[in-house]
Amino acid sequence: MKNQRLRVSLRATPLAALVATVPALAMLAAAPRLAASQVPDFTPVPEEMLRNPDPGDWLHWRGAGDAWGYSPLDQITTDNVGQLQLAWSWAMDDTGSQEAAPLAHGGVLYLPNPHGVIQALDGATGDLLWEYRPGITPAVDGSPTSDNAGMPSDAYASVGRGVQKNIAIFGDRLYAATGDASIVAIDARTGREVWKTRVADPTFGYTYVAGPIVAKGTLVTGISGCGRYKDDVCFITGHDPADGAELWRTSTIALPGEPGGDTWGDLPARFRAGSDAWIAGSYDPETDLVYWGTAQAKPWARAVRGTAGDALYTNSTLALDPDTGEMVWYYQHLPGETHDMDEAFENVLIDVDGRPSLFKIGKIGILWQLDRTTGEFISATDLGYQNLVDVDPASGAVTYRPGMIPEIGVEIDMCPSTSGIKSWRAMAYSPETSALYIPIALSCELATFGATQRVLGGGGVGPVRRVNTPHPAAEGNVGELLALGVPGGEVLWRHRTRSPINTAALTTAGGLVFAGDWDRHMYAYDAGTGAILWRTRLPASAQGFPITYTAGGRQYVAMPAGSGAASWASMLPRDLAPELRRPSNGNSVHVFALPRSGSGPGS
């Protein structure tokens, strides 16, 4: 069964329970350095404000808990967007991959940087108000210890990469999840660390690349770094925002003897890897459920990991009770996935004809619509760019096409490539057009999956020998921003670019869609027609999550730029658009506004 209503709490193994809250100073490689200033006139953010934010704020990584990526601001419109000009810019830390999802509250921009650095900037001027700078966590090198003796030297290479996508705000604090598998609370007024809680052991590969969300007063966060075999599995946790105490822990892998455990065949728990929860979730106060996506099983290919079973709860959408962590329902999009087609991404909550629905799209490029109360399948819209599976339109059942299930050492010609049609660059929804705006990368791949060691520390993603090839439908392009009607999935318009669309999409009540590409362009589109109404060139790739907010009565649009961001931003442009070049560094944020005029607010 792909979908089942549950009332069980799936706990991670005892090893994970051994970690505990520790004093902040003992956790840091160096004491945080702080700016001398602080946020003036800070207004705390209670639960009610999170659910009903001020239009000029951006309090959730996708704007609000429904993950629309939409702002009701309309000072910048289709009529005047052509007048946008740079208001200010800020150089971010340049020591890691930049995938920032800023927040804005009360005219202050809260900016996550690589390696756990967080900065508070005046939203109108770009002046630094404070900075939180923990010590940089080095990558774990696999040195022999009682816990990881015999591990490959690259077993935990993901730890310490420094990716920090989103942060959360609640009360008078900001909350972040760190590369050393900890959660930290920071005073939003001053940037001073309040507490830090170690959630898992980074020497086992655990790390965070996405931060918490706040749901009904609970910090909910999903762990990453689950590719290698170990005596523990991936999980999602709930924490008390007051002191960081862990309230619950729910495994994202079904263990032997538990519901769904038989979907891994006879594999012992230590050889059940993957199901990372590496993208932040959504929360619906009406259903009182948190929605989180999980990644594929590891290693990627069935033949390599040693089971052809469904491998629950990988590649699934999970609906959790925020008070207890109980899994109320799940829906597994690609049972027994075998090509690295993640379904871990944002969950967009839209009511369609009065029915509360959840929309999600993963690497394979299928838009799923589920009933968000029950998890029942409603529809699946194949964008038409994949050659791996067929989906039954009535039931959502997935069947792999003949010859497309990888065998060890046998090359297959697959679309999309393991980069995916859709990745962490989030789609956005506009209630004005009833459309989703989806950042896409178009590529295929000649893939040969190889064997790996089934020993502690073994596993990982593959390996896979990969040759990227152009997508036959791309007409020489790699990127696309696709506008898709909801419901029905009809294509409203598409804009293609030579390089990948490399940011999340942002929609506004001004009738606009903002996005950017790897080739340093930032675009403002007419949401209804797809016409490009304004564009500019950034010093590095447009990258991360653009937002819009107000400061002093003036609307601003903030676009991060930088380097890193996985194969969409490395292998695909190099292989499929080799004539294009971008700087190898230059993490920054660029903030745009209309020209000042008159003497009214914001002038």
Side-chain angles (χ1 to χ4, degrees):
M1 293 178 64
K2 295 190 308 254
N3 169 278
Q4 183 174 336
R5 284 187 66 84
L6 301 174
R7 274 291 178 184
V8 294
S9 185
L10 303 174
R11 302 292 171 172
T13 53
L15 173 66
L18 296 178
V19 295
T21 302
V22 298
L25 290 177
M27 294 288 296
L28 295 176
R33 291 188 282 121
L34 302 169
S37 185
Q38 66 179 24
V39 174
D41 303 320
F42 179 85
T43 301
V45 179
E47 182 81 23
E48 176 59 26
M49 187 182 293
L50 284 179
R51 306 285 77 88
N52 298 282
D54 184 282
D57 283 352
W58 192 270
L59 299 181
H60 185 271
W61 72 287
R62 294 304 292 145
D66 53 22
W68 285 8
Y70 167 81
S71 169
L73 295 179
D74 60 2
Q75 189 180 107
I76 302 170
T77 69
T78 55
D79 292 331
N80 62 24
V81 68
Q83 302 174 47
L84 277 186
Q85 59 187 25
L86 183 67
W88 58 268
S89 59
W90 176 262
M92 298 166 61
D93 264 40
D94 227 18
T95 57
S97 182
Q98 195 279 102
E99 302 173 12
L103 300 180
H105 175 51
V108 175
L109 190 72
Y110 297 96
L111 183 63
N113 284 237
H115 290 293
V117 174
I118 299 172
Q119 295 160 333
L121 305 170
D122 184 302
T125 66
D127 292 337
L128 179 68
L129 301 176
W130 58 252
E131 179 180 82
Y132 171 78
R133 180 173 295 276
I136 293 178
T137 303
V140 177
D141 62 8
S143 301
T145 69
S146 59
D147 290 326
N148 65 6
M151 301 295 190
S153 61
D154 65 346
Y156 308 117
S158 66
V159 177
R161 285 189 304 127
V163 175
Q164 180 178 217
K165 287 183 173 66
N166 71 288
I167 54 179
I169 189 168
F170 182 57
D172 60 358
R173 296 175 185 175
L174 298 172
Y175 299 91
T178 69
D180 63 354
S182 299
I183 298 175
V184 61
I186 301 159
D187 188 312
R189 294 181 177 87
T190 65
R192 295 187 181 278
E193 186 177 289
V194 179
W195 55 255
K196 187 174 183 180
T197 295
R198 173 67 60 84
V199 181
D201 188 344
T203 67
F204 281 2
Y206 286 121
T207 187
Y208 285 112
V209 297
I213 68 167
V214 176
K216 203 177 177 182
T218 299
L219 293 177
V220 185
T221 317
I223 198 75
S224 300
C226 310
R228 294 289 178 172
Y229 297 137
K230 51 183 168 286
D231 286 322
D232 201 3
V233 294
C234 249
F235 52 84
I236 300 169
T237 54
H239 290 259
D240 187 331
D243 57 11
E246 186 171 307
L247 304 176
W248 51 261
R249 180 176 295 228
T250 298
S251 170
T252 58
I253 283 182
L255 299 173
E258 293 184 348
D262 57 352
T263 62
W264 288 84
D266 59 0
L267 284 179
R270 63 173 47 174
F271 298 135
R272 302 183 180 197
S275 205
D276 310 57
W278 63 280
I279 300 291
S282 304
Y283 173 64
D284 179 9
E286 296 301 318
T287 61
D288 194 23
L289 292 174
V290 171
Y291 305 97
W292 223 275
T294 61
Q296 72 291 81
K298 309 290 193 311
W300 291 335
R302 295 176 180 179
V304 181
R305 63 179 178 261
T307 177
D310 291 354
L312 289 172
Y313 297 93
T314 65
N315 261 317
S316 298
T317 296
L318 310 181
L320 306 179
D321 183 320
D323 292 325
T324 65
E326 290 179 321
M327 192 183 299
V328 178
W329 60 258
Y330 71 88
Y331 185 91
Q332 190 174 39
H333 301 272
L334 299 176
E337 195 283 320
T338 188
H339 299 92
D340 181 28
M341 295 293 111
D342 271 289
E343 294 284 346
F345 308 115
E346 69 280 357
N347 300 282
V348 183
L349 312 182
I350 307 169
D351 290 346
V352 178
D353 298 327
R355 187 172 191 179
S357 297
L358 180 151
F359 288 85
K360 132 170 292 176
I361 188 168
K363 280 187 175 182
I364 203 167
I366 295 172
L367 178 68
W368 305 90
Q369 180 185 358
L370 308 177
D371 185 301
R372 68 175 183 264
T373 302
T374 66
E376 179 184 354
F377 170 82
I378 298 174
S379 69
T381 301
D382 189 341
L383 301 186
Y385 290 139
Q386 61 88 21
N387 67 357
L388 303 177
V389 303
D390 293 311
V391 183
D392 186 309
S395 67
V398 172
T399 305
Y400 281 91
R401 294 178 183 176
M404 297 311 295
I405 296 179
E407 300 175 15
I408 295 175
V410 178
E411 184 180 84
I412 62 171
D413 188 352
M414 55 183 271
C415 296
S417 72
T418 48
S419 294
I421 294 295
K422 162 80 169 60
S423 188
W424 60 260
R425 291 86 173 162
M427 61 185 173
Y429 174 71
S430 170
E432 280 80 28
T433 59
S434 297
L436 290 164
Y437 299 86
I438 307 167
I440 282 174
L442 297 172
S443 67
C444 299
E445 178 179 325
L446 299 174
T448 307
F449 291 84
T452 187
Q453 290 183 297
R454 197 174 300 164
V455 296
L456 284 180
V461 296
V464 59
R465 185 172 71 245
R466 170 179 178 178
V467 179
N468 291 310
T469 60
H471 197 288
E475 301 173 331
N477 296 294
V478 182
E480 176 175 302
L481 185 66
L482 178 66
L484 213 61
V486 174
E490 68 276 14
V491 174
L492 304 182
W493 54 263
R494 52 168 48 97
H495 172 242
R496 286 182 173 167
T497 53
R498 180 70 174 131
S499 69
I501 298 294
N502 206 42
T503 72
L506 165 68
T507 55
T508 76
L512 297 167
V513 184
F514 291 91
D517 68 19
W518 183 92
D519 196 27
R520 302 190 292 118
H521 296 100
M522 176 181 171
Y523 303 97
Y525 304 86
D526 185 308
T529 68
I532 297 174
L533 304 177
W534 173 86
R535 78 178 80 192
T536 192
R537 207 82 186 274
L538 303 172
S541 293
Q543 193 155 293
F545 298 79
I547 73 167
T548 186
Y549 63 93
T550 59
R554 191 182 187 198
Q555 182 181 355
Y556 296 85
V557 179
M559 172 66 79
S563 60
S567 60
W568 267 33
S570 57
M571 296 178 70
L572 292 192
R574 181 196 68 199
D575 294 350
L576 303 182
E579 79 282 5
L580 301 180
R581 296 289 187 271
R582 75 163 186 180
S584 59
N585 53 17
N587 293 336
S588 54
V589 64
H590 303 264
V591 179
F592 301 87
L594 297 174
R596 294 182 182 273
S597 62
S599 58
S603 62

